[in-house]
């Protein structure tokens, strides 16, 4: 499956313009060889395939500004790209656009422990930001499966969520200020450390989640948090999502703000990780229909007692069937590796049609039950593989192809049919078709049908004002 946006009515890139773009970043940081460009034009799932005559790798905000100014003068389309880990095709040059790779802009500009802030270039890898925060006894809580390669700019451009969103919010809540290069090359300097700044429109939030369609994020000032003194992680077996929802209520009551992760995992998702992941073992001695991976953090040394109290209440109420608390850091890491490998572990099982949806937390059990029935009715033998962030209602509702009787190509050809069935249930329950992965091209055509008409009109107006020539990541989102 390769979704290609409509080709924008923009001029081709001449050899003279290629030379002028190269002069901005230097020959060493301008990629023109087809083989060298290939990694920038595809993504790890092999779902989207693009092409580009040129990849530019700027090393400063001034260079990004010069690139945008030249592109505007000659109506050359640009596709900003971070770690190229996006899951909706937003970072792919589908129609031969120039790729602006931000990976060279990887400096930590400042760490201010007193203000609990860190200012970083957009190309800083998420894991590096996490480590630099830890170096000053602070926590940067954004955490994703791709944290070893995704970048801060990409995280903000897609408004990434992750496993810590329950306690700390999504990427939008973790950014105090941004530096952004606009389509015409102007630089918006909004790198504020202030938590209170009531001076008009919050322009920062225009660019977070915009997927590079309004401008290129070049730097961000991020919030840091006190580093927990104790973290306890448990892997729990139970009978149903409804039981997991009851355990969530107990956990929030006992731990209050100390409940930092609460992941719901279907048995089939766990089985795939154990079967196909390297060195992954099942944490419990027996199988259960559903599992919860949960974490309690504390600034004191009471996290263990809190976790034990949660599980004890769960067992007394007949909610928890079995559970194990990680005995050490190695076991905790193993629990999370099992969770992080779930998406990749579906690949050996054949085609997988993926959804990143959210519904009200209380509606998650009903959503899963209805969606499972509807998908299997649509494609008999298909295998729903739901897992995700129950604490904030965000479920990765993936569907693997039948074990027999259907080729991968035939199954993936039903992508939009499955989307229609799943999205109808999501919308009826007051949910969203995109919780944390963005719109890109994968969900672009569905967006006008599910978003408020006035909201869509305003989004188009804003796009026209900030990018009148339509050169910024054209064909994405809108």
């Amino acid at each position: 499956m390769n979704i290609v946006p409509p080709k924008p009515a923009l001029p081709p890139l001449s050899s003279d313009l290629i030379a002028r773009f190269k002069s901005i970043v230097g020959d060493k940081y301008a990629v023109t060889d087809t083989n060298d460009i290939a990694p920038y034009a595809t993504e790890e799932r092999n779902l989207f395939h693009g092409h580009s005559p040129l990849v530019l790798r700027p090393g400063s905000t001034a260079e990004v500004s010069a690139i945008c100014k030249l592109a505007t003068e000659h109506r050359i389309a640009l596709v900003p790209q971070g770690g190229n880990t996006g899951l909706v095709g937003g970072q792919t040059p589908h129609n031969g656009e120039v790729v602006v790779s931000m990976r060279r802009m990887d400096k930590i500009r400042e760490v201010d422990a007193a203000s609990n802030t860190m200012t970083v270039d957009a190309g800083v890898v998420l894991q590096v930001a996490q480590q630099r925060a830890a170096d000053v006894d602070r926590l940067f809580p954004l955490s994703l499966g791709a944290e070893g390669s995704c970048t801060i700019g990409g995280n903000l451009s897609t408004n990434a969520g992750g496993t810590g969103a329950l306690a700390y919010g999504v990427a939008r809540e973790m950014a105090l200020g941004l530096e952004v290069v606009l389509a015409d090359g102007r630089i918006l300097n909004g790198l504020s450390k202030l938590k209170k700044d009531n001076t008009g429109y919050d322009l920062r939030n225009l660019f977070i989640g915009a997927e590079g369609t309004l401008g290129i994020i070049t730097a961000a000032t991020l919030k840091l948090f006190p580093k927990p003194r104790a973290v306890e992680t448990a892997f729990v077996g139970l009978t149903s999502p409804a039981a997991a929802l009851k355990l969530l209520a107990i956990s929030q009551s006992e731990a209050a703000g100390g409940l930092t992760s609460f992941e719901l995992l279907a048995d089939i998702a766990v089985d795939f990780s154990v079967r196909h992941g390297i060195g992954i073992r099942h944490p419990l001695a027996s199988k259960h229909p559903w599992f919860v991976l949960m974490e309690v953090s504390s600034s004191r040394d009471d996290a263990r007692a809190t976790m034990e109290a949660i599980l004890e209440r769960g067992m007394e109420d007949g909610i928890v069937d079995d559970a194990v608390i990680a005995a050490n850091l190695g076991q905790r890491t193993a629990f999370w590796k099992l969770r992080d490998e779930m998406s990749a572990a579906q690949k050996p099982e054949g085609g997988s049609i993926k959804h990143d949806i959210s519904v009200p937390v209380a509606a998650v059990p009903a959503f899963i039950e209805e969606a499972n029935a509807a998908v299997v009715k649509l494609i008999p033998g298909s295998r729903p593989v739901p897992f995700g962030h129950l604490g904030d209602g965000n479920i990765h509702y993936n569907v693997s192809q039948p074990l027999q009787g259907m080729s991968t190509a035939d199954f993936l050809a039903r992508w939009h049919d499955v989307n229609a069935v799943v999205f109808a249930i999501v919308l009826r329950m007051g949910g969203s078709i995109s919780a944390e992965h963005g719109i890109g091209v994968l969900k672009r055509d569905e967006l006008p049908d599910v978003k408020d008409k006035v909201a869509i009109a305003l989004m188009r107006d804003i796009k026209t004002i900030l990018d009148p020539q339509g050169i910024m990541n054209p064909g994405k989102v809108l």
Side-chain angles (χ1 to χ4, degrees):
M1 178 183 178
N2 186 31
I3 302 169
V4 181
K7 190 170 184 178
L10 297 171
L13 193 63
S14 67
S15 57
D16 175 64
L17 275 174
I18 289 177
R20 292 181 66 184
F21 276 119
K22 289 173 70 174
S23 70
I24 294 172
V25 299
D27 288 349
K28 182 178 179 180
Y29 301 112
V31 184
T32 56
D33 180 80
T34 302
N35 291 331
D36 293 336
I37 287 174
Y40 298 90
T42 56
E43 41 82 53
E44 60 183 18
R45 292 188 302 166
N46 203 33
L47 189 62
F48 301 101
H49 307 273
H51 61 97
S52 174
L54 177 65
V55 174
L56 299 172
R57 303 180 62 230
S60 68
T61 301
E63 289 182 0
V64 176
S65 174
I67 290 168
C68 290
K69 184 176 180 180
L70 182 60
T72 289
E73 289 174 359
H74 296 275
R75 298 187 67 238
I76 302 301
L78 304 176
V79 174
Q81 189 178 102
N84 195 15
T85 60
L87 299 173
V88 292
Q91 78 279 21
T92 303
H94 295 276
N95 292 305
E97 301 92 339
V98 172
V99 174
V100 182
S101 171
M102 303 299 291
R103 294 185 212 177
R104 276 187 66 220
M105 293 185 61
D106 60 355
K107 296 181 179 62
I108 306 285
R109 298 190 185 184
E110 181 191 44
V111 180
D112 183 348
S115 298
N116 280 317
T117 65
M118 175 168 57
T119 301
V120 304
D121 280 353
V124 169
V125 171
L126 174 55
Q127 196 169 68
V128 172
Q130 293 169 342
Q131 185 56 54
R132 284 301 299 272
D135 290 343
V136 293
D137 200 34
R138 296 294 186 270
L139 173 72
F140 182 60
L142 186 63
S143 182
L144 319 171
E147 61 192 30
S149 53
C150 65
T151 63
I152 294 298
N155 297 150
L156 292 170
S157 292
T158 57
N159 192 25
T163 57
L166 170 63
Y168 300 102
V170 295
R172 187 183 304 279
E173 281 75 52
M174 298 182 200
L176 286 169
L178 297 181
E179 178 185 83
V180 183
V181 175
L182 304 180
D184 60 8
R186 288 180 295 165
I187 300 171
L188 174 64
N189 184 4
L191 290 175
S192 171
K193 298 180 184 180
L194 303 177
K195 293 185 177 180
K196 292 182 177 180
D197 183 1
N198 202 3
T199 54
Y201 303 145
D202 186 355
L203 299 176
R204 167 199 59 172
N205 275 323
L206 278 177
F207 301 97
I208 298 176
E211 300 183 47
T213 60
L214 302 179
I216 300 177
I217 295 173
T218 50
T221 299
L222 307 172
K223 293 180 186 178
L224 303 182
F225 296 82
K227 188 176 180 181
R229 295 289 174 246
V231 178
E232 295 293 341
T233 309
F235 199 87
V236 183
L238 27 71
T239 58
S240 67
L245 192 62
K246 292 177 182 177
L247 181 62
L248 174 63
I250 291 173
S251 302
Q252 291 174 322
S253 174
E254 292 285 344
L259 181 66
T260 47
S261 294
F262 199 93
E263 301 288 294
L264 176 67
L265 318 172
D267 174 55
I268 187 173
V270 173
D271 183 57
F272 284 179
S273 283
V274 172
R275 190 185 312 170
H276 302 297
I278 298 175
I280 295 178
R281 300 177 61 183
H282 202 300
L284 299 178
S286 59
K287 297 186 70 173
H288 301 269
W290 291 87
F291 300 91
V292 162
L293 174 58
M294 59 183 293
E295 203 153 78
V296 171
S297 303
S298 175
S299 59
R300 300 183 297 274
D301 293 326
D302 58 353
R304 182 78 178 196
T306 300
M307 181 68 82
E308 289 174 348
I310 290 169
L311 297 178
E312 184 177 348
R313 277 190 60 184
M315 289 181 174
E316 288 175 352
D317 293 351
I319 296 168
V320 172
D321 294 333
D322 194 8
V324 59
I325 301 175
N328 49 50
L329 179 59
Q331 196 170 27
R332 177 192 176 208
T333 301
F335 289 177
W336 280 108
K337 183 180 180 182
L338 184 152
R339 163 64 180 87
D340 291 341
E341 290 292 321
M342 283 185 173
S343 291
Q346 291 169 69
K347 194 169 184 178
E349 295 290 328
S352 177
I353 297 175
K354 301 181 183 297
H355 307 86
D356 163 47
I357 65 90
S358 62
V359 295
V361 173
V364 169
F367 163 76
I368 291 175
E369 182 178 3
E370 289 190 34
N372 284 359
V375 165
V376 173
K377 181 179 179 180
L378 179 69
I379 304 178
S382 59
R383 296 171 290 164
V385 189
F387 61 93
H389 322 302
L390 177 61
D392 53 40
N394 174 197
I395 299 298
H396 300 297
Y397 188 80
N398 300 343
V399 184
S400 287
Q401 74 178 77
L403 286 170
Q404 296 179 335
M406 196 174 202
S407 70
T408 297
D410 287 343
F411 177 72
L412 293 179
R414 305 293 302 277
W415 191 290
H416 289 294
D417 297 335
V418 176
N419 282 174
V421 166
V422 173
F423 290 164
I425 299 169
V426 169
L427 296 174
R428 178 161 45 80
M429 293 184 172
S432 169
I433 67 170
S434 179
E436 62 178 2
H437 292 165
I439 297 297
V441 296
L442 186 65
K443 302 176 184 179
R444 179 202 59 214
D445 295 340
E446 283 85 3
L447 188 62
D449 296 327
V450 302
K451 190 116 178 138
D452 176 77
K453 303 305 180 188
V454 174
I456 287 287
L458 287 173
M459 287 170 64
R460 294 188 187 281
D461 290 345
I462 292 168
K463 171 72 171 174
T464 299
I465 291 170
L466 292 178
D467 182 23
Q469 298 195 51
I471 67 166
M472 301 303 293
N473 214 4
K476 315 295 174 53
V477 183
L478 296 171

